[in-house]
Amino acid sequence: MNDVSVNGTWLSTLNILLVSRDIPALPDTEENTVKIAGRDGVKNFGSTYAARPLGLGLFVMGDDYDGTVAKLASVFNIRRGPLIIIFDDRPDKRYIAEYRGSMAFDSSTGNRLINVPLKMDDPWPESQQDTELREYGQGLSFGEGYFYISDSSFSITTSGQMVTLDNIGSERTYPLMRISGAFADLSISDGRQTFTFSGSIGANDVLEINSDPDKCTVKLNGTNAWSRSNGMFFELPPGQTALTVSATAPAFTLEIIYRYKYVF
């Protein structure tokens, strides 16, 4: 561990060395409770995780100290929004974080050791690549972690067909389901809940069901089609999930696109 990438820029290229990092094994918990008048104690509605802090210890090298610190400030400028952080010894994971707090300069090193505080609003690191199937010849390089043979893309030709997903992460995730091709009156069930879409679509149509809690959209060829659905969305827990896909005259490809999320 001696390098970190921020939005694609490895800090070593700026004469900055990563000397330490602070990533808690788990985020802090937050209790969700309600105090009821006349009743001892509280009503507990379970606990959730807070944002996860992430700290970087960086050492400024080279003779141009002021110039290097200026570049460092530009890299972590809050106006850039959330930053994609990748460590050289964890190349398969990325951390989405923003600069929070203030940089601390260690005067004992001539201010060359700088501690940068970050915070992950979504506390879970995730896989660098998602499960979307790529094709050879798209300008991608071997070893970048893309999926050329995907266990998340399925040809659906029979009503009642079952497909199995394998979320190898350690935390639940919320997929984008992309359906390319023809069917009428679709239903997809994981055994606990069922998504339905009424009517028919053609061979050149694309239906996308985005289960991201911040989005929760149903779009047909990019246009809102929520009214044709029952508004049910899926989450994928760690491990295998079996989906049963039913429709009239199905002739489509079902692709489940998501990133693996990790507790640590």
Side-chain angles (χ1 to χ4, degrees):
M1 179 197 71
N2 58 13
D3 207 355
V4 58
S5 169
V6 181
N7 278 11
T9 299
W10 290 96
L11 295 192
S12 62
T13 65
L14 305 180
N15 269 343
I16 299 171
L17 181 68
L18 174 68
V19 294
S20 67
R21 66 177 173 227
D22 181 14
I23 306 175
L26 281 173
D28 291 339
T29 57
E30 296 178 331
E31 293 185 78
N32 303 301
T33 61
V34 174
K35 175 65 178 176
I36 301 175
R39 178 173 172 177
D40 295 333
V42 295
K43 183 67 175 177
N44 191 337
F45 290 92
S47 297
T48 52
Y49 284 107
R52 189 195 306 247
L54 190 160
L56 302 180
L58 305 175
F59 192 84
V60 177
M61 301 182 293
D63 297 329
D64 185 11
Y65 173 82
D66 287 345
T68 302
V69 172
K71 292 176 183 177
L72 181 66
S74 178
V75 165
F76 290 103
N77 188 345
I78 191 66
R79 300 191 189 284
R80 300 185 72 190
L83 304 170
I84 298 176
I85 311 294
I86 299 171
F87 298 101
D88 63 347
D89 62 334
R90 299 181 182 179
D92 57 334
K93 295 180 181 179
R94 68 181 200 172
Y95 301 74
I96 311 299
E98 284 187 282
Y99 173 68
R100 302 281 176 83
S102 60
M103 293 185 183
F105 293 76
D106 184 353
S107 59
S108 68
T109 65
N111 291 337
R112 286 185 175 269
L113 180 60
I114 305 174
N115 293 306
V116 180
L118 303 165
K119 185 169 285 187
M120 300 172 63
D121 292 334
D122 179 349
W124 311 121
E126 60 187 22
S127 59
Q128 266 215 66
Q129 309 301 342
D130 59 32
T131 58
E132 183 175 5
L133 186 65
R134 268 77 174 188
E135 301 291 341
Y136 287 110
Q138 289 185 322
L140 308 175
S141 300
F142 179 78
E144 290 183 317
Y146 293 102
F147 291 84
Y148 298 106
I149 301 175
S150 176
D151 64 354
S152 300
S153 181
F154 309 94
S155 177
I156 307 299
T157 57
T158 303
S159 185
Q161 187 171 333
M162 181 175 289
V163 301
T164 301
L165 305 169
D166 189 10
N167 177 10
I168 64 174
S170 53
E171 177 57 31
R172 63 188 175 184
T173 188
Y174 300 91
L176 169 70
M177 294 187 175
R178 179 179 295 152
I179 296 170
S180 306
F183 67 81
D185 297 327
L186 171 74
S187 74
I188 303 174
S189 175
D190 64 359
R192 296 179 295 110
Q193 53 194 17
T194 301
F195 170 86
T196 63
F197 189 85
S198 62
S200 61
I201 70 173
N204 296 319
D205 291 328
V206 178
L207 175 67
E208 291 190 333
I209 306 113
N210 193 335
S211 298
D212 184 331
D214 292 331
K215 297 179 180 178
C216 290
T217 58
V218 180
K219 293 186 177 183
L220 179 61
N221 300 324
T223 301
N224 184 10
W226 175 283
S227 63
R228 294 175 62 178
S229 77
N230 65 344
M232 184 65 69
F233 298 94
F234 293 98
E235 69 175 36
L236 299 179
Q240 292 191 337
T241 297
L243 299 177
T244 302
V245 185
S246 300
T248 300
F252 60 85
T253 297
L254 169 64
E255 191 167 9
I256 316 294
I257 301 170
Y258 61 98
R259 293 180 190 269
Y260 306 127
K261 288 183 175 286
Y262 304 94
V263 170
F264 178 71

